[in-house]
Amino acid sequence: MTGVLVVDDDPYLLRALRITLRAHGYDVTVAEDGRAALAAAARTTPALVILDLGLPDMDGVEVLAQLRGWSQVPVLVLSARHGSADKVQALDAGADDYITKPFGLDELLARLRALRRRSVDDAEPPLVATDAFTVDLGKRRVTRDGEDVRLTPTEWKMLEVLVRNREKLVTQQQLLSEVWGPAYAKETNYLRVYMAQLRRKLEPDAAAPRHLLTEAGIGYRFLT
Amino acid sequence: MTGVLVVDDDPYLLRALRITLRAHGYDVTVAEDGRAALAAAARTTPALVILDLGLPDMDGVEVLAQLRGWSQVPVLVLSARHGSADKVQALDAGADDYITKPFGLDELLARLRALRRRSVDDAEPPLVATDAFTVDLGKRRVTRDGEDVRLTPTEWKMLEVLVRNREKLVTQQQLLSEVWGPAYAKETNYLRVYMAQLRRKLEPDAAAPRHLLTEAGIGYRFLT
DNA sequence: GCGGATCTTGATGAATCCTTGACGCCGCCC
DNA sequence: GGGCGGCGTCAAGGATTCATCAAGATCCGC
């Protein structure tokens, strides 16, 4: 099932979209502000995002920019404004399509189909393997020596964020806000505790990690 | 150079688009009917196609369908009709975007950029290479002889500022205020200490640097 | 309500990083 | 030649950050 994240502050539109999209076979998640949207995107990893630019807590373009920091998910931007400056700004910030309110639902659905059609090509296999363990992002499973490794929800979320950003350095703030929420951006203790647990469960030698690396003072990095 | 095929039967619009797109660095081919469009697409294999639905010899949707028989090139559809049925039809026939006339040229250009960004596969990696080492600004990573180089946060920040201003001279004040903050504009010996560390880690011969150069009395400069 | 799993929290020693000062070299001007 | 300022190098200290452990607190299914 195709997951769609709908971000809008208008409860009526949200409701209408949820019903329509569900009727057309999408698995819908909703968010009413930018903060919730970013959290939901990290949690549910949708295949498509519909983003209204007018949000109560932050600018839609800012939401888009932050999302683009770690995700390539296709984004369809909604806006009430017809000005071409807004369109240009949103498209250059990383939006894949732009549609102005009011719009027809059939057009919206057609644009979603067009976006999805394009993204299936570069859909990566959600399977990441190292010489010590294998992570299946789709099935939410980790295997080591052919055996399933049992991870707690928090351990899994943390590993997921790191694996989705493989090779890349993930800052402590990024990890904390995607796993625990933005309010926990100072609790770097959590990272140490859970990183130690992940290493104990996954690394051949937890004292000399080769896949879950520490970048002192900045964050962590996952290498295959 | 990015090749664009523009298909329209209006000679004035064709001319305007050709001039504008060329001015923005595209390599433009034009066609005035569907038949010529398909032939041109096969011949020039453009990176983008702009297709007007109103053509003299055949229906634009039909052109699109035939094109999709063998090519995945991103197609931006132009149309004078605002009806949503046309949009739905075009998008489901394989169009990647849809824009109605009249349209702003800046919006068209923005949509082209968005299309290209998606198709050209994950954009250009922000990667800066010298013959001795490679800096990946996106992944926050430095490689030398295939091995990761371990940099401290301060070393990285300093290198980042220099690399972002590659070829250009970065003054001591600029470096100090971007890495340590404006209050440290006098602590030029910090620069000496960290520049020495960077050279030791990155330069083949730290005593005769070829990429991290000193401009005596002024600042430093990074050369590839 | 019970028991087990999971999540917080605090404390400790170890490792890493930043700062600071001292020293010598080099080029330039007096 | 001597003085001077800018630069490169080195090493030690103190501060910050990290890994690890263990003891409560909390959540959840039964």
Side-chain angles (χ1 to χ4, degrees), chain B residues 152-166:
Chain B
T152 73
T154 306
E155 287 164 5
W156 170 261
K157 270 192 241 167
M158 191 157 150
L159 179 63
E160 190 182 17
V161 172
L162 288 168
V163 170
R164 285 195 193 285
N165 294 285
R166 80 196 71 152

Side-chain angles (χ1 to χ4, degrees), chain A residues 48-142:
Chain A
L48 295 168
V49 173
I50 300 175
L51 173 65
D52 189 348
L53 287 190
L55 296 177
D57 61 336
M58 52 198 286
D59 186 6
V61 173
E62 175 59 24
V63 176
L64 185 54
Q66 288 202 25
L67 183 66
R68 278 284 173 264
W70 57 274
S71 170
Q72 301 302 317
V73 59
V75 174
L76 170 63
V77 163
L78 300 182
S79 173
R81 284 178 287 185
H82 288 69
S84 77
D86 296 299
K87 298 184 187 178
V88 172
Q89 194 188 6
L91 288 167
D92 282 342
D96 296 282
D97 201 350
Y98 189 105
I99 184 171
T100 50
K101 299 182 188 178
F103 52 83
L105 282 176
D106 51 354
E107 179 184 347
L108 178 74
L109 289 166
R111 285 190 184 271
L112 286 182
R113 284 194 294 275
L115 279 182
R116 193 154 87 98
R117 166 159 30 86
R118 233 176 358 187
S119 68
V120 290
D121 299 337
D122 43 35
E124 51 182 323
L127 217 160
V128 182
T130 74
D131 51 5
F133 57 93
T134 303
V135 182
D136 190 327
L137 291 171
K139 292 180 185 163
R140 219 180 161 89
R141 276 172 49 174
V142 184

Side-chain angles (χ1 to χ4, degrees), chain A residues 32-43:
Chain A
E32 300 203 1
D33 56 48
R35 200 166 219 198
L38 290 170
R43 199 178 61 247

